[in-house]
Amino acid sequence: MVLCLALMNARTPDVPAIAAACGYDAVYVDLEHTSTSLETAAMLCASAIGAGIAALVRVPSHDPSVIARVLDNGAVGVIVPHVNSAQEAKAVVDAARFPPVGHRSISGPNAVSGYQPRPAPELAEFLERQTVVAVMVETPEAVAASDAIAAVPGVDMVLIGPSDLTAEMGIHGQYENAHFHHAVESVAAACRAHGVALGVAGIRSLDLLKRFAALGLRFISAGTDVGMMTEAATARARDLRELDGGSTNTDE
C-alpha cells in the first residue's frame, strides 16, 4: 500500500521531507487546482527524491508538453485527470513514455536519474523504469470505459476521484451510496484483470478504505497539506480553548 500526501499549498522543500518523516511513501504536487508553477513543482520533486520518497505531479490537463516537462524535471510519475476513454489514456501514455511505447522526447539527465551521465539508450531505459503513469477516473463515462482504459499498455494506475465522480453521478460526497460502490467495484475489477494498480483520493473513512483494500486498492491519497494542517490546528485550538472555559473573546 502506497500512502501519498497531496501538496496543494506547500511551496518550500522542507514539506516533502516532513511527509517522509511522517511515514508517507510519496507526495504529489497538484497543478490542477492550484497556482503552483512548474518551477516550484520541480523543486518539490527534487526535495522528495532527497528525502527518499517518490514525487508525482497531477497535471492540469492532457497537454503533452506539460506531461513531458514535469517528468523531465523530477517527477517519477504523472497523474492525469479526467481520462474518459481508452483513446485518451493512449494519448497520455504517448506523452509520458519513451519510444517504442510512446513518443516522449528524450532529454538529458535529471533529478530522477541523479544527474549521472549515461549513454542515451541507457538513460531512457532507466527513466522509463522509474516512470509511473496514472490516469484518473472521475465520470460515469470513464467508469464504463474502465476495462478498456486499464487495458492500455503503459498505464500503471487507475486513480478514482470520488468527489468529481459522485458529483457527476448526482450523489456528491455520498461515498456510502450503492451506486458509487458499484462504480468502484467495476474499476477495481478492471484493474485486477489487467494487472494495473487501483488508487483512490479524498476518502477519509478507514472502514471504507479497508473495504476498497479488499478489492485491490494499492494507492491512497491520504489528504492534503492544508487539510492536515487545518485538522490538527483546529483540534489543538479546541483543546486549548477548554483551558479558558471555551471562550474565544480576545478582549478578555
Side-chain angles (χ1 to χ4, degrees):
M1 186 75 74
V2 174
L3 301 182
C4 183
L5 177 65
L7 304 185
M8 306 282 289
N9 291 66
R11 300 290 188 273
T12 56
D14 52 322
V15 178
I18 292 170
C22 291
Y24 289 90
D25 305 296
V27 294
Y28 84 73
V29 183
D30 192 329
L31 301 186
E32 182 186 10
H33 298 296
T34 73
S35 62
T36 304
S37 68
L38 288 175
E39 183 176 10
T40 298
M43 176 189 67
L44 293 169
C45 288
S47 172
I49 292 170
I53 60 174
L56 302 93
V57 173
R58 179 157 77 173
V59 292
S61 70
H62 297 191
D63 185 339
S65 65
V66 176
I67 292 173
R69 289 181 71 187
V70 298
L71 290 172
D72 284 343
N73 286 279
V76 298
V78 61
I79 299 173
V80 182
H82 307 293
V83 174
N84 293 315
S85 68
Q87 183 178 5
E88 291 182 354
K90 289 175 183 175
V92 169
V93 170
D94 195 61
R97 296 210 174 278
F98 295 118
V101 178
H103 292 90
R104 175 182 167 190
S105 179
I106 299 173
S107 62
N110 60 24
V112 177
S113 67
Y115 295 102
Q116 295 179 9
R118 289 180 170 92
E122 182 182 325
L123 176 62
E125 182 182 359
F126 176 86
L127 293 174
E128 181 68 21
R129 289 199 307 269
Q130 306 301 312
T131 300
V132 175
V133 177
V135 296
M136 295 195 71
V137 165
E138 301 177 274
T139 65
E141 178 186 0
V143 172
S146 59
D147 187 73
I149 291 172
V152 172
V155 169
D156 298 300
M157 177 167 66
V158 176
L159 180 63
I160 298 172
S163 184
D164 281 354
L165 178 55
T166 54
E168 293 280 352
M169 296 173 71
I171 51 171
H172 196 187
Q174 297 180 35
Y175 300 142
E176 291 291 354
N177 187 288
H179 295 293
F180 173 64
H181 283 208
H182 179 69
V184 174
E185 290 164 4
S186 297
V187 177
C191 290
R192 292 195 302 271
H194 298 287
V196 172
L198 172 67
V200 70
I203 289 183
R204 296 169 55 84
S205 168
L206 291 179
D207 179 65
L208 189 54
L209 290 171
K210 184 176 181 180
R211 280 181 272 165
F212 291 166
L215 298 175
L217 181 65
R218 301 306 305 154
F219 178 97
I220 298 175
S221 179
T224 68
D225 47 6
V226 65
M228 295 283 191
M229 184 181 75
T230 300
E231 181 179 5
T234 300
R236 181 64 171 167
R238 183 174 57 246
D239 290 344
L240 292 175
R241 289 296 180 192
E242 294 300 320
L243 300 176
D244 193 29
S247 173
T248 60
N249 187 344
T250 56
D251 293 332
E252 292 183 359

